[in-house]
PDB file of all heavy atoms in Angstrom:
ATOM      1  N   LEU A  93     237.851 124.306 -75.282  1.00  0.00           N
ATOM      2  CA  LEU A  93     239.310 124.357 -75.377  1.00  0.00           C
ATOM      3  C   LEU A  93     239.875 123.072 -75.969  1.00  0.00           C
ATOM      4  O   LEU A  93     240.856 123.096 -76.723  1.00  0.00           O
ATOM      5  CB  LEU A  93     239.912 124.617 -73.993  1.00  0.00           C
ATOM      6  CG  LEU A  93     239.581 125.992 -73.396  1.00  0.00           C
ATOM      7  CD1 LEU A  93     240.063 126.081 -71.958  1.00  0.00           C
ATOM      8  CD2 LEU A  93     240.207 127.105 -74.232  1.00  0.00           C
ATOM      9  N   LYS A  94     239.244 121.955 -75.632  1.00  0.00           N
ATOM     10  CA  LYS A  94     239.665 120.671 -76.201  1.00  0.00           C
ATOM     11  C   LYS A  94     239.445 120.665 -77.716  1.00  0.00           C
ATOM     12  O   LYS A  94     240.316 120.249 -78.483  1.00  0.00           O
ATOM     13  CB  LYS A  94     238.880 119.527 -75.554  1.00  0.00           C
ATOM     14  CG  LYS A  94     239.202 118.133 -76.091  1.00  0.00           C
ATOM     15  CD  LYS A  94     238.436 117.075 -75.309  1.00  0.00           C
ATOM     16  CE  LYS A  94     238.731 115.679 -75.851  1.00  0.00           C
ATOM     17  NZ  LYS A  94     238.173 115.485 -77.212  1.00  0.00           N
ATOM     18  N   HIS A  95     238.283 121.138 -78.136  1.00  0.00           N
ATOM     19  CA  HIS A  95     237.992 121.209 -79.567  1.00  0.00           C
ATOM     20  C   HIS A  95     238.965 122.141 -80.285  1.00  0.00           C
ATOM     21  O   HIS A  95     239.411 121.853 -81.401  1.00  0.00           O
ATOM     22  CB  HIS A  95     236.563 121.714 -79.780  1.00  0.00           C
ATOM     23  CG  HIS A  95     235.520 120.732 -79.377  1.00  0.00           C
ATOM     24  ND1 HIS A  95     234.218 121.086 -79.084  1.00  0.00           N
ATOM     25  CD2 HIS A  95     235.581 119.380 -79.205  1.00  0.00           C
ATOM     26  CE1 HIS A  95     233.530 120.012 -78.769  1.00  0.00           C
ATOM     27  NE2 HIS A  95     234.332 118.972 -78.827  1.00  0.00           N
ATOM     28  N   LEU A  96     239.292 123.243 -79.643  1.00  0.00           N
ATOM     29  CA  LEU A  96     240.210 124.200 -80.253  1.00  0.00           C
ATOM     30  C   LEU A  96     241.607 123.608 -80.411  1.00  0.00           C
ATOM     31  O   LEU A  96     242.268 123.800 -81.443  1.00  0.00           O
ATOM     32  CB  LEU A  96     240.263 125.471 -79.402  1.00  0.00           C
ATOM     33  CG  LEU A  96     240.875 126.712 -80.041  1.00  0.00           C
ATOM     34  CD1 LEU A  96     240.129 127.071 -81.316  1.00  0.00           C
ATOM     35  CD2 LEU A  96     240.853 127.872 -79.070  1.00  0.00           C
ATOM     36  N   ASP A  97     242.054 122.869 -79.412  1.00  0.00           N
ATOM     37  CA  ASP A  97     243.351 122.196 -79.512  1.00  0.00           C
ATOM     38  C   ASP A  97     243.366 121.191 -80.657  1.00  0.00           C
ATOM     39  O   ASP A  97     244.358 121.073 -81.394  1.00  0.00           O
ATOM     40  CB  ASP A  97     243.672 121.478 -78.197  1.00  0.00           C
ATOM     41  CG  ASP A  97     244.096 122.433 -77.101  1.00  0.00           C
ATOM     42  OD1 ASP A  97     244.481 123.567 -77.430  1.00  0.00           O
ATOM     43  OD2 ASP A  97     244.023 122.057 -75.921  1.00  0.00           O
ATOM     44  N   GLU A  98     242.262 120.468 -80.816  1.00  0.00           N
ATOM     45  CA  GLU A  98     242.190 119.478 -81.888  1.00  0.00           C
ATOM     46  C   GLU A  98     242.248 120.143 -83.260  1.00  0.00           C
ATOM     47  O   GLU A  98     242.937 119.664 -84.171  1.00  0.00           O
ATOM     48  CB  GLU A  98     240.893 118.673 -81.750  1.00  0.00           C
ATOM     49  CG  GLU A  98     240.882 117.748 -80.537  1.00  0.00           C
ATOM     50  CD  GLU A  98     239.513 117.136 -80.282  1.00  0.00           C
ATOM     51  OE1 GLU A  98     238.536 117.561 -80.938  1.00  0.00           O
ATOM     52  OE2 GLU A  98     239.419 116.240 -79.418  1.00  0.00           O
ATOM     53  N   LEU A  99     241.532 121.239 -83.411  1.00  0.00           N
ATOM     54  CA  LEU A  99     241.554 121.950 -84.684  1.00  0.00           C
ATOM     55  C   LEU A  99     242.938 122.517 -84.984  1.00  0.00           C
ATOM     56  O   LEU A  99     243.389 122.506 -86.135  1.00  0.00           O
ATOM     57  CB  LEU A  99     240.513 123.074 -84.682  1.00  0.00           C
ATOM     58  CG  LEU A  99     239.053 122.632 -84.795  1.00  0.00           C
ATOM     59  CD1 LEU A  99     238.126 123.819 -84.606  1.00  0.00           C
ATOM     60  CD2 LEU A  99     238.790 121.978 -86.144  1.00  0.00           C
ATOM     61  N   GLU A 100     243.611 123.003 -83.947  1.00  0.00           N
ATOM     62  CA  GLU A 100     244.961 123.538 -84.155  1.00  0.00           C
ATOM     63  C   GLU A 100     245.904 122.438 -84.628  1.00  0.00           C
ATOM     64  O   GLU A 100     246.713 122.641 -85.538  1.00  0.00           O
ATOM     65  CB  GLU A 100     245.489 124.156 -82.864  1.00  0.00           C
ATOM     66  CG  GLU A 100     246.885 124.753 -83.034  1.00  0.00           C
ATOM     67  CD  GLU A 100     247.457 125.275 -81.721  1.00  0.00           C
ATOM     68  OE1 GLU A 100     246.849 125.053 -80.663  1.00  0.00           O
ATOM     69  OE2 GLU A 100     248.525 125.910 -81.775  1.00  0.00           O
ATOM     70  N   ASN A 101     245.782 121.261 -84.029  1.00  0.00           N
ATOM     71  CA  ASN A 101     246.655 120.150 -84.407  1.00  0.00           C
ATOM     72  C   ASN A 101     246.368 119.644 -85.821  1.00  0.00           C
ATOM     73  O   ASN A 101     247.266 119.161 -86.518  1.00  0.00           O
ATOM     74  CB  ASN A 101     246.503 119.002 -83.412  1.00  0.00           C
ATOM     75  CG  ASN A 101     247.050 119.352 -82.038  1.00  0.00           C
ATOM     76  OD1 ASN A 101     247.958 120.169 -81.915  1.00  0.00           O
ATOM     77  ND2 ASN A 101     246.493 118.750 -80.997  1.00  0.00           N
ATOM     78  N   GLU A 102     245.108 119.769 -86.236  1.00  0.00           N
ATOM     79  CA  GLU A 102     244.711 119.290 -87.561  1.00  0.00           C
ATOM     80  C   GLU A 102     244.953 120.324 -88.658  1.00  0.00           C
ATOM     81  O   GLU A 102     244.859 120.010 -89.844  1.00  0.00           O
ATOM     82  CB  GLU A 102     243.220 118.924 -87.563  1.00  0.00           C
ATOM     83  CG  GLU A 102     242.865 117.793 -86.604  1.00  0.00           C
ATOM     84  CD  GLU A 102     241.368 117.722 -86.334  1.00  0.00           C
ATOM     85  OE1 GLU A 102     240.618 118.564 -86.897  1.00  0.00           O
ATOM     86  OE2 GLU A 102     240.945 116.839 -85.570  1.00  0.00           O
ATOM     87  N   PHE A 103     245.282 121.524 -88.269  1.00  0.00           N
ATOM     88  CA  PHE A 103     245.302 122.645 -89.209  1.00  0.00           C
ATOM     89  C   PHE A 103     246.371 122.485 -90.275  1.00  0.00           C
ATOM     90  O   PHE A 103     247.528 122.230 -89.996  1.00  0.00           O
ATOM     91  CB  PHE A 103     245.537 123.943 -88.430  1.00  0.00           C
ATOM     92  CG  PHE A 103     245.717 125.158 -89.298  1.00  0.00           C
ATOM     93  CD1 PHE A 103     244.645 125.701 -89.975  1.00  0.00           C
ATOM     94  CD2 PHE A 103     246.961 125.765 -89.439  1.00  0.00           C
ATOM     95  CE1 PHE A 103     244.804 126.823 -90.774  1.00  0.00           C
ATOM     96  CE2 PHE A 103     247.130 126.887 -90.233  1.00  0.00           C
ATOM     97  CZ  PHE A 103     246.045 127.415 -90.901  1.00  0.00           C
ATOM     98  N   GLN A 104     245.960 122.649 -91.550  1.00  0.00           N
ATOM     99  CA  GLN A 104     246.882 122.697 -92.675  1.00  0.00           C
ATOM    100  C   GLN A 104     246.405 123.801 -93.600  1.00  0.00           C
ATOM    101  O   GLN A 104     245.293 123.744 -94.126  1.00  0.00           O
ATOM    102  CB  GLN A 104     246.909 121.369 -93.441  1.00  0.00           C
ATOM    103  CG  GLN A 104     247.550 120.227 -92.676  1.00  0.00           C
ATOM    104  CD  GLN A 104     249.051 120.412 -92.511  1.00  0.00           C
ATOM    105  OE1 GLN A 104     249.691 121.018 -93.366  1.00  0.00           O
ATOM    106  NE2 GLN A 104     249.608 119.899 -91.435  1.00  0.00           N
ATOM    107  N   PHE A 105     247.236 124.819 -93.812  1.00  0.00           N
ATOM    108  CA  PHE A 105     246.823 125.920 -94.676  1.00  0.00           C
ATOM    109  C   PHE A 105     246.995 125.528 -96.135  1.00  0.00           C
ATOM    110  O   PHE A 105     247.902 124.804 -96.484  1.00  0.00           O
ATOM    111  CB  PHE A 105     247.650 127.169 -94.384  1.00  0.00           C
ATOM    112  CG  PHE A 105     247.031 128.428 -94.923  1.00  0.00           C
ATOM    113  CD1 PHE A 105     246.051 129.084 -94.200  1.00  0.00           C
ATOM    114  CD2 PHE A 105     247.405 128.929 -96.148  1.00  0.00           C
ATOM    115  CE1 PHE A 105     245.469 130.238 -94.683  1.00  0.00           C
ATOM    116  CE2 PHE A 105     246.831 130.078 -96.648  1.00  0.00           C
ATOM    117  CZ  PHE A 105     245.863 130.735 -95.911  1.00  0.00           C
ATOM    118  N   SER A 106     246.078 125.991 -97.002  1.00  0.00           N
ATOM    119  CA  SER A 106     246.132 125.715 -98.430  1.00  0.00           C
ATOM    120  C   SER A 106     246.272 127.013 -99.196  1.00  0.00           C
ATOM    121  O   SER A 106     245.585 127.985 -98.890  1.00  0.00           O
ATOM    122  CB  SER A 106     244.856 124.986 -98.888  1.00  0.00           C
ATOM    123  OG  SER A 106     244.798 124.932-100.297  1.00  0.00           O
ATOM    124  N   VAL A 107     247.136 127.009-100.219  1.00  0.00           N
ATOM    125  CA  VAL A 107     247.303 128.229-101.010  1.00  0.00           C
ATOM    126  C   VAL A 107     246.081 128.533-101.859  1.00  0.00           C
ATOM    127  O   VAL A 107     245.939 129.621-102.391  1.00  0.00           O
ATOM    128  CB  VAL A 107     248.550 128.142-101.912  1.00  0.00           C
ATOM    129  CG1 VAL A 107     249.804 128.093-101.097  1.00  0.00           C
ATOM    130  CG2 VAL A 107     248.465 126.959-102.872  1.00  0.00           C
ATOM    131  N   VAL A 108     245.182 127.547-102.015  1.00  0.00           N
ATOM    132  CA  VAL A 108     243.938 127.821-102.717  1.00  0.00           C
ATOM    133  C   VAL A 108     243.089 128.803-101.929  1.00  0.00           C
ATOM    134  O   VAL A 108     242.331 129.589-102.476  1.00  0.00           O
ATOM    135  CB  VAL A 108     243.149 126.516-102.962  1.00  0.00           C
ATOM    136  CG1 VAL A 108     241.795 126.807-103.585  1.00  0.00           C
ATOM    137  CG2 VAL A 108     243.946 125.570-103.846  1.00  0.00           C
ATOM    138  N   SER A 109     243.216 128.759-100.616  1.00  0.00           N
ATOM    139  CA  SER A 109     242.430 129.613 -99.745  1.00  0.00           C
ATOM    140  C   SER A 109     243.248 130.806 -99.285  1.00  0.00           C
ATOM    141  O   SER A 109     244.469 130.764 -99.231  1.00  0.00           O
ATOM    142  CB  SER A 109     241.969 128.818 -98.530  1.00  0.00           C
ATOM    143  OG  SER A 109     241.277 127.657 -98.916  1.00  0.00           O
ATOM    144  N   GLU A 110     242.559 131.875 -98.945  1.00  0.00           N
ATOM    145  CA  GLU A 110     243.223 133.028 -98.364  1.00  0.00           C
ATOM    146  C   GLU A 110     242.915 133.148 -96.880  1.00  0.00           C
ATOM    147  O   GLU A 110     243.572 133.901 -96.181  1.00  0.00           O
ATOM    148  CB  GLU A 110     242.803 134.296 -99.112  1.00  0.00           C
ATOM    149  CG  GLU A 110     243.352 134.336-100.521  1.00  0.00           C
ATOM    150  CD  GLU A 110     243.182 135.688-101.180  1.00  0.00           C
ATOM    151  OE1 GLU A 110     242.697 136.620-100.512  1.00  0.00           O
ATOM    152  OE2 GLU A 110     243.532 135.811-102.358  1.00  0.00           O
ATOM    153  N   SER A 111     241.900 132.436 -96.401  1.00  0.00           N
ATOM    154  CA  SER A 111     241.539 132.497 -94.987  1.00  0.00           C
ATOM    155  C   SER A 111     240.967 131.155 -94.531  1.00  0.00           C
ATOM    156  O   SER A 111     240.415 130.402 -95.335  1.00  0.00           O
ATOM    157  CB  SER A 111     240.496 133.593 -94.727  1.00  0.00           C
ATOM    158  OG  SER A 111     240.949 134.851 -95.168  1.00  0.00           O
ATOM    159  N   VAL A 112     241.121 130.900 -93.250  1.00  0.00           N
ATOM    160  CA  VAL A 112     240.494 129.737 -92.616  1.00  0.00           C
ATOM    161  C   VAL A 112     239.685 130.239 -91.434  1.00  0.00           C
ATOM    162  O   VAL A 112     240.147 131.096 -90.680  1.00  0.00           O
ATOM    163  CB  VAL A 112     241.541 128.708 -92.141  1.00  0.00           C
ATOM    164  CG1 VAL A 112     240.851 127.500 -91.522  1.00  0.00           C
ATOM    165  CG2 VAL A 112     242.433 128.276 -93.291  1.00  0.00           C
ATOM    166  N   ILE A 113     238.455 129.722 -91.295  1.00  0.00           N
ATOM    167  CA  ILE A 113     237.556 130.168 -90.239  1.00  0.00           C
ATOM    168  C   ILE A 113     237.186 128.979 -89.365  1.00  0.00           C
ATOM    169  O   ILE A 113     236.811 127.913 -89.869  1.00  0.00           O
ATOM    170  CB  ILE A 113     236.283 130.808 -90.834  1.00  0.00           C
ATOM    171  CG1 ILE A 113     236.679 131.951 -91.762  1.00  0.00           C
ATOM    172  CG2 ILE A 113     235.357 131.304 -89.732  1.00  0.00           C
ATOM    173  CD1 ILE A 113     235.529 132.525 -92.559  1.00  0.00           C
ATOM    174  N   PHE A 114     237.293 129.164 -88.055  1.00  0.00           N
ATOM    175  CA  PHE A 114     236.953 128.127 -87.093  1.00  0.00           C
ATOM    176  C   PHE A 114     235.691 128.525 -86.330  1.00  0.00           C
ATOM    177  O   PHE A 114     235.551 129.676 -85.911  1.00  0.00           O
ATOM    178  CB  PHE A 114     238.096 127.938 -86.084  1.00  0.00           C
ATOM    179  CG  PHE A 114     239.394 127.489 -86.698  1.00  0.00           C
ATOM    180  CD1 PHE A 114     240.332 128.418 -87.143  1.00  0.00           C
ATOM    181  CD2 PHE A 114     239.696 126.145 -86.831  1.00  0.00           C
ATOM    182  CE1 PHE A 114     241.524 128.018 -87.705  1.00  0.00           C
ATOM    183  CE2 PHE A 114     240.888 125.736 -87.393  1.00  0.00           C
ATOM    184  CZ  PHE A 114     241.804 126.664 -87.831  1.00  0.00           C
ATOM    185  N   PHE A 115     234.801 127.563 -86.147  1.00  0.00           N
ATOM    186  CA  PHE A 115     233.609 127.734 -85.313  1.00  0.00           C
ATOM    187  C   PHE A 115     233.702 126.700 -84.201  1.00  0.00           C
ATOM    188  O   PHE A 115     233.658 125.493 -84.462  1.00  0.00           O
ATOM    189  CB  PHE A 115     232.338 127.525 -86.131  1.00  0.00           C
ATOM    190  CG  PHE A 115     232.213 128.445 -87.319  1.00  0.00           C
ATOM    191  CD1 PHE A 115     232.558 127.997 -88.596  1.00  0.00           C
ATOM    192  CD2 PHE A 115     231.762 129.739 -87.168  1.00  0.00           C
ATOM    193  CE1 PHE A 115     232.446 128.838 -89.695  1.00  0.00           C
ATOM    194  CE2 PHE A 115     231.644 130.602 -88.258  1.00  0.00           C
ATOM    195  CZ  PHE A 115     231.990 130.139 -89.520  1.00  0.00           C
ATOM    196  N   VAL A 116     233.819 127.167 -82.954  1.00  0.00           N
ATOM    197  CA  VAL A 116     234.101 126.256 -81.850  1.00  0.00           C
ATOM    198  C   VAL A 116     233.235 126.608 -80.642  1.00  0.00           C
ATOM    199  O   VAL A 116     233.098 127.783 -80.286  1.00  0.00           O
ATOM    200  CB  VAL A 116     235.592 126.316 -81.436  1.00  0.00           C
ATOM    201  CG1 VAL A 116     235.906 125.203 -80.445  1.00  0.00           C
ATOM    202  CG2 VAL A 116     236.503 126.228 -82.645  1.00  0.00           C
TER     203      VAL A 116
END
């Protein structure tokens, strides 16, 4: 859950991509 919170806070979507995948 700590790792997931960190990834959420760091998240920035890019128009180059259509999807973002997290492995936690």
Side-chain angles (χ1 to χ4, degrees):
L93 294 172
K94 178 176 179 292
H95 290 159
L96 195 58
D97 285 341
E98 291 170 351
L99 287 173
E100 181 184 8
N101 292 332
E102 298 164 0
F103 174 72
Q104 290 291 330
F105 197 83
S106 169
V107 294
V108 175
S109 305
E110 291 191 4
S111 303
V112 181
I113 304 172
F114 298 90
F115 302 99
V116 189

